Amino acid sequence: MADINSKFDIGVTTGPIRGSRKVHIGAKSGSGIQVAMREIDLEGGEPSVRVYDTSGPYTDANATIDIRAGLEQKRREWILARGDVEEYDAREVKPEDNGQLGPDRSGGVPAFPNVHKRVLRAKPGANVSQMHYARQGIITPEMEYVAERENLGREYIRREIEGNSWGAEIPEYVTPEFVRDELARGRAIIPNNINHPESEPMAIGRNFLVKINANIGNSAVASDVAAEVDKMVWSIRWGADTVMDLSTGRNIHDTREWIIRNSPVPIGTVPIYQALEKVGGVAEDLTWEIFRDTLIEQAEQGVDYFTIHAGVRLPYVPMAAKRVTGIVSRGGSIMAKWCLAHHKESFLYEHFDDITEIMKAYDIAYSLGDGLRPGSIADANDEAQFAELYTLGELTHRAWKSDVQVMIEGPGHVPMHKIKENMTKQLEVCGEAPFYTLGPLVTDIAPGYDHITSGIGAAQIGWYGTAMLCYVTPKEHLGLPDRDDVKVGVVTYKLAAHAADLAKGHPAAQVRDDALSKARFEFRWRDQFNLSLDPDTAEEFHDQTLPAEGAKTAHFCSMCGPKFCSMKISQEVRDFASKQNQSADGFLESEKWGADTAEASRKAAEQGMREMSELYKAKGDKLYLPEEETE
Amino acid sequence: MADINSKFDIGVTTGPIRGSRKVHIGAKSGSGIQVAMREIDLEGGEPSVRVYDTSGPYTDANATIDIRAGLEQKRREWILARGDVEEYDAREVKPEDNGQLGPDRSGGVPAFPNVHKRVLRAKPGANVSQMHYARQGIITPEMEYVAERENLGREYIRREIEGNSWGAEIPEYVTPEFVRDELARGRAIIPNNINHPESEPMAIGRNFLVKINANIGNSAVASDVAAEVDKMVWSIRWGADTVMDLSTGRNIHDTREWIIRNSPVPIGTVPIYQALEKVGGVAEDLTWEIFRDTLIEQAEQGVDYFTIHAGVRLPYVPMAAKRVTGIVSRGGSIMAKWCLAHHKESFLYEHFDDITEIMKAYDIAYSLGDGLRPGSIADANDEAQFAELYTLGELTHRAWKSDVQVMIEGPGHVPMHKIKENMTKQLEVCGEAPFYTLGPLVTDIAPGYDHITSGIGAAQIGWYGTAMLCYVTPKEHLGLPDRDDVKVGVVTYKLAAHAADLAKGHPAAQVRDDALSKARFEFRWRDQFNLSLDPDTAEEFHDQTLPAEGAKTAHFCSMCGPKFCSMKISQEVRDFASKQNQSADGFLESEKWGADTAEASRKAAEQGMREMSELYKAKGDKLYLPEEETE
């Protein structure tokens, strides 16, 4: 065990992101709630830029990190203050929870040293979901936190919002009441299990900033606990808003405990994976009882949302038989196999209301799984996919009857012209519940680059209204991602989500683009790096050709060199033009002159088109010489 | 000199792309024209897949490559056969053409050993542009070549074309006549200078496959001739349809000669760069005469298209003064500086018709430069940008009066909701001349990842109708790209262009996605790699966790392992389902059962929404408890 323990001395990355400073902003209500964000200080007298921050205490220079102790349980007092929970003894961890680990735990990993022996659940008859509180008209501390966080702690400033949000209702300023209303409608969720008091509340919804998820987790073939905890910390450093632990190998229970106790972001899982491990990988041996026990086990640990593939129904399975890539969802394929083998309707569908009772006792959100999502361009938007979506719509409304939070998972592989239909149908059928897609990938032909093929689709569907984008790494389709892949996936999805915020006209989004571009134009290289999503890489790339410290204030880089740098010449032009404006030379000031010239050009272009058109008619429609005329 | 010469023994990459075989397909007309493509052979009895190929003889196992000799001049006989050109002595290369190189050429590079001392131009009064031939009703060998190439040599097959091309007119099958008609209308161009007979003809136009361009070229600060020739060969290996040599350092003339003589793809330049070098980098010292001489110099070498920033007009320059990032185009900033310093209209604009006379004598296409493109999200779609576009429209029609080929350059940095407007305006004002954009980048905040921020915009604007996408590498804004950056940029843009073809409903596009996905589903790993845009990287990523040869036929990878591979389980499901279908168990065959179930779900979802809505009304619109009601 000594060896295994010492592994844990290696590498969760701590320390501030280069150029950033952690800040805690008090909620405007004066309640004392402190919301974590970070600020980037700039040179040249420029105001600091505050940005949304998912990295938790790991990037706080003032925090002490001890992954054996876990994070501070900041939400515990809020949860207890509501007076609707009871404490009880957690379920015993069984060998099968960790892949048949014997009592000597050989081949296993150290259990988390500070497991909560006593856990929380709703008092009998109570409902502890944020949606339930919202519908009672209660504004919780979690809602306050979210409001402040989404505003980046800024004051209300009237700002002309430009963009096209396709009918979303993004407010100029987020109030706790707005958060409450969105939760009550089901249009947003705050995923936070009462047994995960370490989490910093966040919202997933179309009218908030677009969020991203990073997937981690081992497989039977690769990776270990230390690497997975490190990946979680690494992924949130770069911007992951939630993390899913998709482990399918050994030590699933212990791995998850280490992750949740140390995670400031919501953690999602797919409970059917662990259930399958418990029956030795034989899908046909799954039962509702084993599944239910797994739900309780994970609920007590503090999982914030469960992917439940209750839409993979027996009648739908044959629809997938004619596909090019069948069923690409692990959970979906497992349930399909079970349904066919037993010739019965999915037990997840049949027991849905029982699952809902568990969700509401711990405030776990549904992530209604897209088990029949298309895994190839050929299968996009097919019958199987939308059949499942309709069932997810039905289940959304069933869950909402119990005030349980719901989000809907989505595709997949979808060519660009078919993306919009997905958003439209989902909004219609699922009552505007938040949409949470995997990409989508807009072509199949680039394994090795699927963070990009999917980033293209993700940016678009995020713009159309998708609330959270599940990342894809360069290793997709090829193998388990390592920490470098995790970072590339996260940054790709952050930029896609931000591009969607910009296009939707989110009032807070463009501040960062403007600050970075201004820094770029003024050759404040360090500021440009520090404002970027990945300051380390930006600086590294710059320094590959110009490493000297003096280059950080040079008015050029190696792309063009000093004579050809357009930004440098631009500055000279601007200085020159403003000197000219001070002279008697009135016309250079004249915006009208420029506008008139442009108008004259436009008319000349139209004239050119008219002349072409007349020439065409004059030649008896023969200017372009139809086929019969050619030699 | 010996050292410099020996550098040229290093690294142009030759040899077939892994898994591909060069083929030459005879044009259907029976004219004897052979069109280069490549085929990917598959396992398991699957038909070979033929793909468009830009890599030239470098990937032909049967070709002998000698970069000192240059490529075969395959087009020469076609050009001479038209009987409208004359041969003459090329202009003498002057020291200033290579950055003030002395007669001993010290500090320079070896001149290309097989320079054409005698070059071609149109006979007096003749016009050798492909547009001119097209308007005469002539189908040239170049047009035939293009038609066969765009069809990938396939037969006519009636196929249901699905997609949304936003009003483009993509044919099911490309005939030489169709190519002629598109050229005559100006809707497409075939850029090929009569002095670049080594080129394999290609078309740029909305109704053809979306093309991509790779930028290479040294700067005063970085790179050298050997590296640039290598980059050209490397970029076309991975799919660049044209290459621009944007060199701004020394040895511009010699560098370009080595590149053109060895390039099977069209080469573009920005002549103002070399003109600026000739006047020692002092923009104010530029003159029309020096520029004109540079045009002739480059025309004789065989440059296929020139970027001409004739839209940066004096009245527009002050418009750029209020921008966040001013003028980001090198050429645009140079011309702006000249205009202001001289207080005169741009000499490019004033002498446009003189430039046109040169273009038509060599068949060089205009790439009308977007000198005032936006270099930041804040500047997108502003007055300066569209003022220039209107002038480019005016100039398009002027050039067309002389039957000279034209394409229009475009932005830049544009948030997603503003992209469509660019396409719409350009189509309107420029008479559907091909659009050639740089991205656009959809956010500024990710230097280091700008191949991705721009790939997102490029895929969208390619879908909307842009004919060619100019790549961006990870080094954008930070430094000169190296060969690894070139490859990443090319593959990113290839996947974006292909995604656009798919979305437009191009009849030939989806074949590759389907073949790759089928290979993926059937665990033909080698086929999956070979069909991908970058087989080397795909295999390398897979082998990072599963290098053993046996893994290439394994029914899993390290992402999920054998128990959890959804594709493996999917296969089992499919086999099981088809066995069941053979039994008396009729209902599993019933598609109606699945469809009925889905319909029932959809109705249940609608019912759920109605109930929610009635509950809302029943509570007097208070279900979501408007602000006044909250505690």
Side-chain angles (χ1 to χ4, degrees), chain A residues 117-335:
Chain A
K117 293 294 180 206
R118 302 269 290 167
V119 294
L120 300 176
R121 75 183 157 208
K123 284 177 173 161
N127 181 337
V128 297
S129 97
Q130 291 286 321
M131 187 185 207
H132 185 68
Y133 301 134
R135 285 178 162 180
Q136 308 305 113
I138 298 166
I139 291 179
T140 60
E142 286 86 351
M143 296 174 204
E144 272 191 79
Y145 192 102
V146 161
E148 201 63 49
R149 198 173 190 188
E150 291 279 334
N151 286 326
L152 297 174
R154 63 190 169 88
E155 297 297 329
Y156 173 83
I157 301 168
R158 174 134 196 88
R159 200 201 133 122
E160 189 129 315
I161 300 167
E162 215 220 311
N164 175 6
S165 71
W166 304 95
E169 292 169 31
I170 301 165
E172 274 183 343
Y173 192 72
V174 179
T175 59
E177 165 56 25
F178 178 79
V179 177
R180 189 206 60 75
D181 189 69
E182 291 290 293
L183 288 172
R185 293 171 185 276
R187 208 150 58 183
I189 66 173
I190 297 179
N192 50 189
N193 186 324
I194 55 178
N195 287 315
H196 185 195
E198 302 89 340
S199 67
E200 296 172 353
M202 55 81 74
I204 300 170
R206 186 178 177 207
N207 293 325
F208 298 101
L209 292 163
V210 177
K211 305 304 190 301
I212 71 168
N213 173 75
N215 290 331
I216 62 170
N218 63 6
S219 74
V221 179
S223 202
D224 59 46
V225 171
E228 295 310 315
V229 175
D230 173 54
K231 272 185 207 169
M232 179 275 288
V233 174
W234 189 236
S235 71
I236 64 175
R237 181 182 185 83
W238 298 111
D241 293 285
T242 80
V243 167
M244 289 193 83
D245 174 8
L246 302 182
S247 293
T248 59
R250 306 196 71 185
N251 311 306
I252 290 179
H253 183 101
D254 290 337
T255 302
R256 186 168 49 239
E257 190 74 38
W258 280 97
I259 288 170
I260 299 180
R261 298 284 71 82
N262 285 295
S263 175
V265 304
I267 297 294
T269 63
V270 187
I272 200 80
Y273 298 167
Q274 190 177 16
L276 187 69
E277 276 295 330
K278 290 177 180 178
V279 297
V282 182
E284 298 89 321
D285 291 350
L286 286 165
T287 65
W288 159 245
E289 287 73 24
I290 289 168
F291 187 76
R292 186 187 184 285
D293 180 61
T294 307
L295 292 182
I296 301 293
E297 171 195 347
Q298 300 198 8
E300 291 178 354
Q301 286 186 291
V303 172
D304 301 288
Y305 63 91
F306 287 149
T307 293
I308 304 287
H309 293 97
V312 181
R313 298 186 57 184
L314 176 56
Y316 301 158
V317 175
M319 290 172 172
K322 53 177 157 350
R323 287 177 153 186
V324 173
T325 41
I327 299 171
V328 297
S329 153
R330 289 173 183 164
S333 62
I334 292 164
M335 289 311 299

Side-chain angles (χ1 to χ4, degrees), chain B residues 55-74:
Chain B
S55 56
Y58 298 97
T59 54
D60 189 344
N62 299 324
T64 318
I65 302 299
D66 177 3
I67 63 164
R68 279 176 180 68
L71 299 179
E72 240 190 284
Q73 296 179 35
K74 288 192 171 154

Side-chain angles (χ1 to χ4, degrees), chain B residues 208-353:
Chain B
F208 297 102
L209 292 163
V210 177
K211 307 303 191 303
I212 72 168
N213 173 74
N215 290 331
I216 63 169
N218 64 5
S219 74
V221 179
S223 201
D224 57 47
V225 172
E228 295 310 313
V229 175
D230 174 52
K231 274 187 208 168
M232 178 275 288
V233 174
W234 189 237
S235 71
I236 65 176
R237 181 182 186 84
W238 297 111
D241 294 286
T242 80
V243 167
M244 289 194 81
D245 173 8
L246 302 182
S247 293
T248 59
R250 306 196 72 185
N251 311 306
I252 291 179
H253 183 103
D254 291 337
T255 302
R256 188 168 47 241
E257 190 75 40
W258 281 97
I259 289 171
I260 299 182
R261 298 284 69 81
N262 286 293
S263 176
V265 304
I267 297 293
T269 61
V270 187
I272 199 79
Y273 298 166
Q274 189 177 15
L276 186 68
E277 276 294 331
K278 291 176 181 180
V279 296
V282 183
E284 299 88 322
D285 291 351
L286 286 165
T287 65
W288 160 244
E289 288 72 26
I290 289 168
F291 187 76
R292 186 187 185 285
D293 179 62
T294 306
L295 292 181
I296 301 293
E297 170 194 349
Q298 300 198 7
E300 291 178 355
Q301 285 186 293
V303 173
D304 301 289
Y305 63 90
F306 288 148
T307 295
I308 304 288
H309 294 96
V312 181
R313 298 187 57 186
L314 176 56
Y316 302 158
V317 176
M319 292 173 173
K322 51 177 156 354
R323 286 177 154 184
V324 173
T325 41
I327 299 172
V328 297
S329 153
R330 288 173 183 164
S333 63
I334 292 165
M335 289 312 299
K337 197 168 177 193
W338 189 93
C339 289
L340 285 196
H342 292 274
H343 204 183
K344 283 165 74 171
E345 182 57 272
S346 154
F347 63 82
L348 297 177
Y349 181 81
E350 300 281 288
H351 285 278
F352 189 76
D353 295 337

